[in-house]
Amino acid sequence: MSKQSHCDAAARSIQSIQANDALVPLYSPKQVYGIEKAWFDAGNDSYALMQQAAWQIAHWIYRTYSKAGDKLKIGVWVGRGNNGGDGWLVADYLTQLGAQVAVIEVGPEVSTADALLAKQQATATLNNNKQVIEQTFIGHLANQTSFAKVCEQSEYLSADVYVDALFGIGLDRAPQSAYADAIRYINAAKQHNHRLQVVSVDVPSGVVSSTGEVFDEQAVRADITLCLVARKVGLHLKDAMDYTGKLVDLPLIPTVLGKLPQAWLQHHAQPLPARDHNTHKGSFGHVLIAGGNQVDGSQGMGGAAILSASTAFATGVGKLTVACHKAFHGSLIGAVPNAMSLDLHDASSVESLIAQCDTLAIGMGFGRDESSFTLFERYLRTALQQSIPLIIDADGLYHLASLAKQAPEIIDQLIAHAKTHEVWYTPHSGEAGRLLDISADEIEKDRLAAITQLANKYNGSWLLKGAGSLVLHKGEIRVCAAGNAGMATAGMGDVLSGLAAGLLAQSVLPKSSRTLIQAVMIHAMAGDVLERKKGVWALQASDMPPVVGQIMQQLTQAQ
Ligand SMILES: NC(=O)C1=CN([C@@H]2O[C@H](COP(=O)(O)OP(=O)(O)OC[C@H]3O[C@@H](n4cnc5c(N)ncnc54)[C@H](O)[C@@H]3O)[C@@H](O)[C@H]2O)[C@@H](O)CC1
Ligand SMILES: [K+]
């Protein structure tokens, strides 16, 4: 895409966001620095922006937490960069609003011109009110005696609100010594004083705002994060979600418009159209599920194919065949009697059905041994020859990584196939790591970079499963805002691939509903319904198919 068309796409997308707040633009910290720079280059003053940020934060805190008759007690933890600068000014403005404020400066002297100005401005106000914690303490928080001194400040311990202004988007390494102590102290104080509210300025200190990573669990656990300028993408990825608390946007400047964000946060699936009356099962596609194998000496995986099949039916697919190991045919028919069955190892029958189906979903419980690899390669080649839309999941992705090394021309064919047909890949970080020849840890370090590399290497649409599942389609990344920790349980992936196959096979659905992100959103929304009913501990994949059907129905009524 050219730079201009990127901007046009952004403007179009942003207009659609204004009409539908379900999509939130997410920016990398580098982009946010760029937005700020453009603002300053246009003649706007950086210190004025800091004052504007601090005033909005102070006003928000005062409006939210002050109670008539009680003096609001605030502890402001400031670091050395501009996030700390925000903190100093917040302390100043809250003092002027009538709060009782203590500031704890952590680490060495402030490092930016604006932060220094902010500190000077605030120190004057605070000293007049005798509210700065004494200088010997400031800057020496690692020192045990000083730390104990903080704990003795009973006024301070009983604060109503802590403002966390240690680090914002400039964090570039693990917090250590005084910073780590401060983070630990803030989190511990919250446990001792349940009334205490922790408000993080821009980013919970310790969270990497580009990736959502937290080093060694050293980050502030906020109740509220006040996001300045633009929403940082890392706040919705990985560990970050356990640290941000509720997010509140304070946009400050209008320059976000026109900039293409790094990703979009999506909360809901798209509405679905009602079905026409004059239809028959042939109108709603034929899915072939290839999986559910029994490999000698390994545990059977028939359940994977059964979960996929029952979920595909819950999406309304017209016909469905499961090619699974013969050992599971009886249980398949018991669980999903409307499915047809084939022997996964009867290659010629499976191949002739691949040629007839509308979507092949392959890999769930497929097995990883040599004979499974041979079958996978054969079925994949057939699907490519027959131009069949494809979903590759689980053991299929395992074999695909081997094929990328042993038969790279198949990857070239897949890349070409994806230019004209839907090809959807659904790895978790372990599978993604194999596909890129790096470790799962490296994938997790930067999930946005990983999904981009996967699409660059293999083409097609990608889901990278995990906390804040990512979906990449035609260069655009969506972050799934729905879903919950209870969904980290066996079989959830099989449910998702069945759901995706069911949508993809139904050519009667509008194109916008036959997308991987639509499947991911419906899956996550169904998980959330179940979590409300059963809680995170008892949530099971086998409960999902009927709830998927309910969500589909609600989406139809929402149209
Ligand atoms: N006028 C402005 O420039 C504005 C700045 N804003 C604030 O400024 C923040 C960004 O400021 P900065 O770029 O100064 O970044 P930070 O304030 O996040 O901190 C960066 C400083 O901390 C150091 N540092 C990073 N990781 C560290 C670690 N683990 N241990 C010790 N030191 C570490 C860096 O070397 C640098 O000196 C935003 O998050 C936002 O809060 C906003 O208020 C908007 C206006
Ligand atoms: K912060």
Side-chain angles (χ1 to χ4, degrees), residues 16 30-31 50-51 131 136 154 310 355 362 396 533 536 541 551 555:
S16 71
K30 200 170 154 204
Q31 288 178 307
M50 187 177 273
Q51 288 174 312
Q131 288 172 344
T136 48
S154 56
S310 42
I362 186 164
K533 269 194 201 152
V536 280
I551 300 284
L555 290 169

Short mmCIF file of all heavy atoms in Angstrom, two decimals, residues 16 30-31 50-51 131 136 154 310 355 362 396 533 536 541 551 555:
data_model
loop_
_atom_site.label_atom_id
_atom_site.label_comp_id
_atom_site.label_asym_id
_atom_site.label_seq_id
_atom_site.Cartn_x
_atom_site.Cartn_y
_atom_site.Cartn_z
N SER A 16 -15.07 5.67 10.18
CA SER A 16 -15.97 4.59 10.58
C SER A 16 -15.91 4.37 12.08
O SER A 16 -16.87 3.96 12.69
CB SER A 16 -15.68 3.30 9.81
OG SER A 16 -14.49 2.75 10.25
N LYS A 30 6.55 4.83 19.46
CA LYS A 30 7.30 5.59 18.45
C LYS A 30 6.34 6.52 17.68
O LYS A 30 6.66 7.69 17.42
CB LYS A 30 7.94 4.58 17.48
CG LYS A 30 9.08 5.14 16.72
CD LYS A 30 9.81 4.04 15.98
CE LYS A 30 10.50 4.63 14.77
NZ LYS A 30 10.76 3.69 13.72
N GLN A 31 5.17 6.00 17.35
CA GLN A 31 4.19 6.83 16.65
C GLN A 31 3.74 8.00 17.53
O GLN A 31 3.53 9.10 17.05
CB GLN A 31 2.97 6.00 16.25
CG GLN A 31 3.24 5.02 15.11
CD GLN A 31 2.01 4.20 14.79
OE1 GLN A 31 1.43 3.58 15.68
NE2 GLN A 31 1.61 4.18 13.53
N MET A 50 2.65 19.57 28.40
CA MET A 50 2.79 18.90 29.69
C MET A 50 1.82 19.50 30.72
O MET A 50 1.18 18.79 31.50
CB MET A 50 4.23 19.01 30.18
CG MET A 50 4.53 18.20 31.41
SD MET A 50 6.26 18.32 31.87
CE MET A 50 6.98 17.02 30.90
N GLN A 51 1.69 20.83 30.69
CA GLN A 51 0.76 21.50 31.62
C GLN A 51 -0.68 21.07 31.34
O GLN A 51 -1.47 20.80 32.25
CB GLN A 51 0.89 23.02 31.48
CG GLN A 51 2.18 23.55 32.06
CD GLN A 51 2.36 25.04 31.77
OE1 GLN A 51 2.19 25.47 30.64
NE2 GLN A 51 2.71 25.81 32.79
N GLN A 131 4.60 20.19 51.62
CA GLN A 131 4.07 18.87 51.26
C GLN A 131 5.06 17.97 50.53
O GLN A 131 4.71 16.87 50.14
CB GLN A 131 2.81 19.03 50.41
CG GLN A 131 1.66 19.52 51.25
CD GLN A 131 0.46 19.89 50.41
OE1 GLN A 131 0.56 20.05 49.21
NE2 GLN A 131 -0.68 20.03 51.05
N THR A 136 16.28 14.57 51.97
CA THR A 136 17.19 13.46 52.22
C THR A 136 16.55 12.16 51.75
O THR A 136 17.22 11.24 51.32
CB THR A 136 17.51 13.30 53.72
OG1 THR A 136 16.26 13.33 54.41
CG2 THR A 136 18.42 14.39 54.20
N SER A 154 2.77 8.23 58.38
CA SER A 154 1.43 7.67 58.48
C SER A 154 0.44 8.44 57.60
O SER A 154 -0.43 7.87 56.97
CB SER A 154 0.95 7.68 59.93
OG SER A 154 1.03 8.99 60.42
N SER A 310 -18.77 -29.79 15.80
CA SER A 310 -20.01 -29.30 16.41
C SER A 310 -20.06 -27.78 16.38
O SER A 310 -21.14 -27.19 16.26
CB SER A 310 -20.25 -29.86 17.80
OG SER A 310 -19.07 -29.86 18.52
N ALA A 355 -11.71 -32.00 -3.06
CA ALA A 355 -12.04 -31.36 -4.35
C ALA A 355 -13.48 -30.82 -4.36
O ALA A 355 -13.79 -29.90 -5.11
CB ALA A 355 -11.84 -32.35 -5.48
N ILE A 362 -7.79 -28.01 8.43
CA ILE A 362 -6.89 -29.16 8.60
C ILE A 362 -5.89 -28.93 9.74
O ILE A 362 -5.39 -27.82 9.90
CB ILE A 362 -6.15 -29.45 7.26
CG1 ILE A 362 -5.32 -30.72 7.36
CG2 ILE A 362 -5.29 -28.28 6.78
CD1 ILE A 362 -4.88 -31.28 6.01
N GLY A 396 -1.29 -29.15 11.90
CA GLY A 396 -1.10 -28.73 10.50
C GLY A 396 -0.01 -27.65 10.44
O GLY A 396 0.82 -27.64 9.52
N LYS A 533 -21.55 -17.11 33.08
CA LYS A 533 -22.43 -18.17 33.59
C LYS A 533 -21.70 -19.11 34.54
O LYS A 533 -22.22 -19.53 35.56
CB LYS A 533 -22.91 -19.03 32.40
CG LYS A 533 -24.20 -18.56 31.79
CD LYS A 533 -24.75 -19.66 30.90
CE LYS A 533 -25.72 -19.10 29.90
NZ LYS A 533 -25.79 -19.86 28.68
N VAL A 536 -14.41 -18.50 35.42
CA VAL A 536 -13.23 -18.85 34.61
C VAL A 536 -12.73 -20.27 34.85
O VAL A 536 -12.13 -20.88 33.98
CB VAL A 536 -12.03 -17.90 34.84
CG1 VAL A 536 -12.17 -16.61 34.09
CG2 VAL A 536 -11.76 -17.66 36.30
N ALA A 541 -14.21 -26.07 26.70
CA ALA A 541 -14.42 -25.96 25.25
C ALA A 541 -15.71 -26.66 24.82
O ALA A 541 -16.42 -26.18 23.93
CB ALA A 541 -13.23 -26.56 24.53
N ILE A 551 -24.63 -16.54 20.06
CA ILE A 551 -24.00 -15.26 19.66
C ILE A 551 -24.35 -14.97 18.20
O ILE A 551 -24.68 -13.82 17.84
CB ILE A 551 -22.47 -15.32 19.84
CG1 ILE A 551 -22.09 -15.59 21.29
CG2 ILE A 551 -21.79 -14.05 19.30
CD1 ILE A 551 -22.23 -14.42 22.23
N LEU A 555 -26.23 -11.66 16.89
CA LEU A 555 -25.64 -10.80 15.86
C LEU A 555 -26.61 -10.60 14.70
O LEU A 555 -26.62 -9.56 14.05
CB LEU A 555 -24.32 -11.39 15.34
CG LEU A 555 -23.16 -11.36 16.35
CD1 LEU A 555 -21.99 -12.20 15.85
CD2 LEU A 555 -22.70 -9.92 16.58
#
